[in-house]
């Protein structure tokens, strides 16, 4: 799945990944940045959009769509709380 967040331009992708790992726990198997888009193009100078490819996997069961949605929400909430990150739709 892909998730993109708008954050202040000085927030490193590695900090977002670390916070997401704390929020989602071990079922967040992979979270890799693959695109950075300057905020000026979004009409929001001083920000950037970072897109991540995320993979969820539980060791003991298959995750449902509802499980994945809950994990996305946990990550988005944690990044918003810590960095003011906004999930792009």
């Amino acid at each position: 799945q892909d998730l993109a967040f708008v954050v202040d331009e000085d927030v490193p992708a590695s900090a977002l990944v670390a916070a997401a790992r704390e929020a989602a726990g071990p079922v967040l198997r992979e979270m890799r940045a693959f695109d950075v888009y300057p905020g000026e193009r979004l009409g929001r100078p001083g920000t950037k959009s970072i897109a991540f490819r995320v993979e969820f996997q539980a060791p003991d069961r298959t995750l449902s769509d509802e499980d994945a949605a809950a994990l996305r929400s946990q990550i988005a909430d944690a990044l918003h709380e810590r960095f003011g990150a906004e999930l792009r739709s």
Side-chain angles (χ1 to χ4, degrees):
Q1 298 182 5
D2 295 343
L3 300 174
F5 295 93
V6 177
V7 294
D8 289 340
E9 63 188 358
D10 63 341
V11 176
S14 60
L16 297 172
V17 171
R21 288 194 183 285
E22 286 178 27
V27 295
L28 178 57
R29 181 175 172 208
E30 182 74 38
M31 183 168 176
R32 212 173 352 147
F34 69 88
D35 189 35
V36 178
Y37 195 79
E40 290 79 20
R41 292 185 183 170
L42 300 171
R44 299 178 64 181
T47 66
K48 63 185 173 186
S49 173
I50 306 176
F52 295 93
R53 179 137 308 123
V54 296
E55 295 178 20
F56 302 115
Q57 183 178 27
D60 58 342
R61 64 190 176 92
T62 300
L63 297 173
S64 67
D65 290 339
E66 292 80 18
D67 293 328
L71 289 163
R72 285 190 306 272
S73 290
Q74 283 176 242
I75 291 169
D77 291 346
L79 298 186
H80 180 73
E81 183 177 310
R82 188 174 287 181
F83 303 102
E86 295 178 25
L87 181 63
R88 290 184 65 197
S89 50

